[in-house]
Structures are given as structure tokens and as C-alpha cells.
Amino acid sequence: MKIQSLPSNLRGVYDQWKLLQQVHKLVVEHKWLECIGLAKEVSNGQENDFYGEYYQGICHTQLKFYDEAIENFEAALLNIQKNKIQWTVTEYEQEAQLRLAHVHRLQRRYDKATELLDELIKTHPRYANAYQSKAGIQIDQKDFQGALVTANFGLDQLPNHEELTDLRNSMVYELTAKS
């Protein structure tokens, strides 16, 4: 038996999925301007879309359009909260929050970036990238002691995390080398 056609709602989902795959490919290829247009199309084609906004945020960040990137990541996070099955999108939510904090860091809005990362750590204490990013901000500000504390908090949650261990060790070296 051959299926003649997909129901219209499934066809729309399939078309959106194919479009999203093209967007992802453009990000991988670093084709930021092309990607923005296609990502807008994804956003316009689906109510409460996360992915189109998220990918636009990535592109705007790469093009140094930071205010636009912030708007995109905030819209993506707002839309992700409307997802009916929250556990399926946790990874994407963490990544969008991290990227939003990163854009604030690029703008040297360290207080806002740190606030976002503290919230991320509180909500997802086993997300190593949040600790690494927060420590990076502290290093930017020459707060090596704070970066060491952040790395240690991360290692309390993830004791065998190699990158956090390396970060802690480099902060210990930094602090002891200047004594």
C-alpha cells in the first residue's frame, strides 16, 4: 500500500524540519547572512518557534549585532517555555541561556552576564559550561580567586570534569605563581 500524501499538518512539520536542517548547515558553514534569512523563515513558519530565533541569535552574534542577538535569544527562551514537554528541550534551553550570557560578556556587561550564569547554575547545577563561562568572566576581570571558587563549585557537582579540573589547576597556578 502506498501513501498518496501526508496530512497537511505533517507536511508542514516536515517542511519546517527540512528548512531547519538547511539553517543548521549554513551555521556549520559560517554563512551567517544566508542563515539569518532562512532562520527568519523558520520562525515565521511556526508559532512559538525556538530554533529560528536561536539560530538568528547565533548569526547576529557572529556578525557582532549584539542587541539583535540578545533579542533573538530572549525570544527563543520565551518560546521554549511554551513547549509542552519541557524535558525534551532542557539542553537547548541551557545552550540559549549560555549564549545570551556570552553576548552580554562580549559587550562587557559582566554584571548582567554573571547574573544570567548564576541563574543558569542554580537551575542546572550540573551544566559545566556555565561554570566555565562564569570563571571566564572572572578571569576577564582579573578575579582569579573568584574563578578558582567557581571552578571548585563546578567540581563539587562534576568531580571528574576534565576541563573544570584544568581550569581549577590553572587558577591555582596563577594565584601561587604571583605569591
Side-chain angles (χ1 to χ4, degrees), residues 2-45:
K2 183 176 180 182
I3 297 175
Q4 295 298 320
S5 67
L6 290 172
S8 62
N9 62 336
L10 287 180
R11 171 50 84 187
V13 168
Y14 176 78
D15 291 343
Q16 282 291 107
W17 178 250
K18 294 301 283 181
L19 198 57
L20 185 58
Q21 288 177 321
Q22 291 173 336
V23 167
H24 181 75
K25 182 177 184 233
L26 290 171
V27 166
V28 170
E29 295 173 350
H30 298 229
K31 295 181 178 177
W32 310 121
L33 292 175
E34 291 175 57
C35 181
I36 288 173
L38 213 52
K40 282 182 183 178
E41 202 174 316
V42 169
S43 290
N44 293 337

Side-chain angles (χ1 to χ4, degrees), residues 37-162:
L38 213 52
K40 282 182 183 178
E41 202 174 316
V42 169
S43 290
N44 293 337
Q46 183 72 31
E47 185 180 357
N48 301 324
D49 171 71
F50 165 81
Y51 298 101
E53 293 291 343
Y54 173 78
Y55 281 114
Q56 286 178 71
I58 291 172
C59 295
H60 281 127
T61 301
Q62 294 299 320
L63 294 169
K64 298 182 181 0
F65 297 138
Y66 298 133
D67 291 336
E68 291 84 349
I70 289 170
E71 287 177 27
N72 292 131
F73 289 129
E74 287 176 346
L77 287 166
L78 181 65
N79 288 344
I80 210 166
Q81 294 303 315
K82 298 173 186 174
N83 190 295
K84 291 179 177 72
I85 309 172
Q86 282 296 307
W87 63 268
T88 63
V89 293
T90 300
E91 180 182 336
Y92 298 107
E93 179 183 24
Q94 292 170 343
E95 183 69 20
Q97 288 173 332
L98 185 71
R99 287 181 181 273
L100 179 59
H102 177 69
V103 174
H104 284 287
R105 179 182 179 187
L106 290 170
Q107 292 183 308
R108 291 183 169 68
R109 294 180 187 163
Y110 295 122
D111 289 343
K112 181 63 177 176
T114 300
E115 175 187 323
L116 291 167
L117 291 167
D118 284 341
E119 182 180 317
L120 181 56
I121 288 168
K122 182 179 177 185
T123 308
H124 304 284
R126 296 188 50 81
Y127 186 52
N129 291 342
Y131 296 101
Q132 292 170 283
S133 188
K134 182 178 177 182
I137 290 170
Q138 291 164 319
I139 292 167
D140 289 350
Q141 298 178 308
K142 307 288 188 238
D143 179 10
F144 302 112
Q145 182 70 38
L148 176 60
V149 169
T150 298
N152 282 331
F153 280 140
L155 286 167
D156 286 346
Q157 295 296 317
L158 304 154
N160 300 318
H161 195 276
E162 188 175 328

